[in-house]
Amino acid sequence: MKRVRANPGQGVRLREEILAAAEALLVEVGSEEALTLRAVAGRTGVSTPSVYLHFADKDQLIEAVCLRAWDELERRMREAARGIEDPFWALGQCGRVYVRFALDHPVQYRVLMMRQGSGSAAAACLGYIVEAVSACVASGALRGDPQTLALGLWSAAHGCASLVISQPSFPWPEDLDSFIDDTVWMAGFGTAIASRLPRHGVSTEVVAALDDFAERLTG
């Protein structure tokens, strides 16, 4: 059914309806190939030129869908970290939410993080992770350049999510949430320990650094 002409000021609402229709179509089909402006217009109940008023081409529409998915992911991560005073534990909570979001929204995640051209969404994601890691560096939980550390931690979370999504037949543990927790904490603690270890130290130096770090955690 065709829509009536929108009144002035309804453009923002129509844009959101177009994005919602595009995301729904993307999930149903499972591929961005079917995400044409004509198909989205039909799903929204408007003419194709009406879609072009908001999105110049398919790539711009897909980028907007990516950013819409990122907004929801960021909201969940911030909510998970709210009220946690220790920035290191807050970072761990964000990591768990990140991987869980990816597994619950595999199609959106694949478009958001595994497609060339979704640079704005990826940059927004990196910005928030760097912000969370910077708080850990300021507290002394992590040492090093926040952006470099963030990229390493993000690689671990993304690797976990993308592998589970792309290889569902692997012998994953039945308790997938515990597996996600273990993976996130291994990445977090591994990064914290690695930032304190000598790059080419002998084994005794490594053991001493590990003991010192364990004492700091439990002391």
Side-chain angles (χ1 to χ4, degrees), residues 70 72-98 128-129 131-133 135-136 185:
W70 161 246
E72 173 62 16
L73 173 56
E74 181 185 17
R75 184 191 68 77
R76 293 191 186 191
M77 288 197 294
R78 290 189 183 279
E79 185 175 296
R82 186 176 296 120
I84 301 178
E85 294 183 4
D86 189 317
F88 187 72
W89 296 109
L91 179 63
Q93 283 290 90
C94 291
R96 290 210 298 268
V97 168
Y98 179 96
Y128 178 70
I129 298 172
E131 177 185 326
V133 170
C136 293
W185 290 125

Side-chain angles (χ1 to χ4, degrees), residues 174-194:
E174 289 187 14
D175 189 349
L176 199 55
D177 284 334
S178 291
F179 173 76
I180 292 170
D181 285 351
D182 290 344
T183 302
V184 168
W185 290 125
M186 280 192 291
F189 283 117
T191 299
I193 292 170

Side-chain angles (χ1 to χ4, degrees), residues 10 22 37 49 68 92 94 107-108 113 148-149 170 172 216:
Q10 292 183 327
L37 268 63
R68 192 170 188 267
C94 291
V107 178
Q108 294 97 318
M113 291 301 173
T148 302
L149 293 171
F170 275 15
W172 302 110
R216 288 171 180 270

Side-chain angles (χ1 to χ4, degrees), residues 138-153:
S139 72
L142 297 177
R143 296 176 182 176
D145 173 61
Q147 181 161 300
T148 302
L149 293 171
L151 287 169
L153 290 167

Side-chain angles (χ1 to χ4, degrees), residues 30-190:
S31 169
E32 64 190 71
E33 298 303 318
L35 198 63
T36 65
L37 268 63
R38 181 183 295 276
V40 172
R43 176 64 65 93
T44 311
V46 300
S47 65
T48 303
S50 295
V51 179
Y52 275 107
L53 290 175
H54 296 274
F55 304 100
D57 52 33
K58 175 180 175 177
D59 284 342
Q60 192 176 96
L61 174 61
I62 292 175
E63 178 72 5
V65 170
C66 287
L67 288 171
R68 192 170 188 267
W70 161 246
D71 286 343
E72 173 62 16
L73 173 56
E74 181 185 17
R75 184 191 68 77
R76 293 191 186 191
M77 288 197 294
R78 290 189 183 279
E79 185 175 296
R82 186 176 296 120
I84 301 178
E85 294 183 4
D86 189 317
F88 187 72
W89 296 109
L91 179 63
Q93 283 290 90
C94 291
R96 290 210 298 268
V97 168
Y98 179 96
V99 177
R100 190 72 257 177
F101 179 88
L103 301 188
D104 291 342
H105 304 82
V107 178
Q108 294 97 318
Y109 185 78
R110 188 162 54 245
V111 174
L112 180 67
M113 291 301 173
M114 302 168 70
R115 172 186 182 272
Q116 287 186 343
S118 56
S120 296
C125 187
L126 176 60
Y128 178 70
I129 298 172
V130 170
E131 177 185 326
V133 170
S134 295
C136 293
V137 172
S139 72
L142 297 177
R143 296 176 182 176
D145 173 61
Q147 181 161 300
T148 302
L149 293 171
L151 287 169
L153 290 167
W154 188 12
S155 296
H158 173 70
C160 175
S162 59
L163 194 58
V164 174
I165 290 171
S166 62
Q167 302 295 337
S169 62
F170 275 15
W172 302 110
E174 289 187 14
D175 189 349
L176 199 55
D177 284 334
S178 291
F179 173 76
I180 292 170
D181 285 351
D182 290 344
T183 302
V184 168
W185 290 125
M186 280 192 291
F189 283 117

